[in-house]
Amino acid sequence: NAGVTQTPKFQVLKTGQSMTLQCAQDMNHEYMSWYRQDPGMGLRLIHYSVGAGITDQGEVPNGYNVSRSTTEDFPLRLLSAAPSQTSVYFCASSRRQIGELFFGEGSRLTVL
Amino acid sequence: QQPVQSPQAVILREGEDAVINCSSSKALYSVHWYRQKHGEAPVFLMILLKGGEQKGHEKISASFNEKKQQSSLYLTASQLSYSGTYFCGTTPLVRYTGANSKLTFGKGITLSVRP
């Protein structure tokens, strides 16, 4: 039982490059979300989805895009990477909209 | 808007008790508590829904005062394994639909339990 799988675990980008952080869950969860974690800032919500085809913005959505074409996958796209996007990114899923979040192991992104 | 957590840090000796607080300026539908150990993902502790219920998880319990938009996490007889960063997350109360699934977390509190 894989749970929530994030890839890649580590990535280094140059300013201006684009990339996609992948997130997949095998628990048939309706709700999925992306957070970034920076020292002293806690977990900040980037985007979330309450089901396939439905996404919404969180607290810090600028510079990121998401889509939810299937229940299982919720990729996070960085359009033009900036040093301010250096962070640890966590994907999480939940069986229902208000419920226990299962987190992936995280993806550490460095933008030079 | 992030909920505010206090105190900023807690240092305990094994067996001591602690209280961590979480407050919001907005009406809340739910409060969520997670613990994160260094280098790992956050792990779920409990959820409290509006209604003032109190929940327990091992020797960790929590309360939710919806009128004051506050929640407290109580750790009793702390163990070394309780060390970590504790996050509270909140979802807002929406007048017409009742609940909104936008879960925002506070900055977290580092709790250290020493032998």
Side-chain angles (χ1 to χ4, degrees):
Chain A
N1 191 359
V4 179
T5 303
Q6 290 183 233
T7 55
K9 287 187 170 48
F10 300 94
Q11 182 73 48
V12 178
L13 289 179
K14 293 182 180 178
T15 297
Q17 289 184 317
S18 63
M19 76 156 299
T20 299
L21 295 175
Q22 302 290 345
C23 177
Q25 52 91 9
D26 62 358
M27 297 174 282
N28 200 31
H29 283 175
E30 283 185 12
Y31 182 89
M32 296 186 75
S33 54
W34 277 101
Y35 290 88
R36 60 177 288 175
Q37 185 170 31
D38 305 291
M41 299 299 294
L43 295 158
R44 290 185 291 171
L45 181 64
I46 305 172
H47 286 285
Y48 64 103
S49 168
V50 299
I54 306 169
T55 63
D56 206 346
Q57 295 182 349
E59 306 164 82
V60 288
N62 292 341
Y64 306 95
N65 271 358
V66 292
S67 59
R68 184 100 180 265
S69 56
T70 67
T71 300
E72 295 78 19
D73 300 301
F74 191 44
L76 179 72
R77 297 181 186 86
L78 281 72
L79 308 173
S80 176
S84 60
Q85 293 179 304
T86 293
S87 187
V88 177
Y89 292 84
F90 285 101
C91 178
S93 73
S94 175
R95 187 162 58 90
R96 49 183 187 269
Q97 291 186 29
I98 308 290
E100 175 182 355
L101 278 180
F102 293 83
F103 284 84
E105 292 183 341
S107 298
R108 182 175 293 276
L109 175 67
T110 302
V111 182
L112 303 175
Chain B
Q1 187 175 1
Q2 287 182 297
V4 177
Q5 294 186 241
S6 63
Q8 288 193 330
V10 179
I11 299 175
L12 298 171
R13 291 209 178 272
E14 228 176 336
E16 291 182 338
D17 301 340
V19 180
I20 297 172
N21 301 304
C22 175
S23 65
S24 174
S25 58
K26 296 184 177 181
L28 300 176
Y29 180 79
S30 64
V31 179
H32 306 227
W33 287 96
Y34 286 78
R35 177 171 63 206
Q36 183 181 34
K37 294 191 179 284
H38 184 70
E40 299 180 3
V43 173
F44 172 78
L45 292 175
M46 65 191 76
I47 291 175
L48 302 100
L49 304 180
K50 72 180 186 72
E53 64 179 295
Q54 185 155 353
K55 282 198 155 185
H57 174 81
E58 298 177 344
K59 293 181 182 177
I60 301 174
S61 62
S63 62
F64 176 24
N65 186 327
E66 60 182 289
K67 290 184 180 178
K68 292 186 177 180
Q69 294 131 221
Q70 293 175 347
S71 177
S72 294
L73 187 72
Y74 307 94
L75 297 93
T76 58
S78 58
Q79 305 169 11
L80 296 176
S81 62
Y82 286 1
S83 294
T85 301
Y86 288 77
F87 292 99
C88 78
T90 58
T91 61
L93 182 65
V94 179
R95 182 180 295 274
Y96 297 108
T97 61
N100 181 297
S101 54
K102 185 174 178 178
L103 176 61
T104 56
F105 286 95
K107 295 183 178 181
I109 288 173
T110 300
L111 184 139
S112 301
V113 181
R114 299 180 177 177

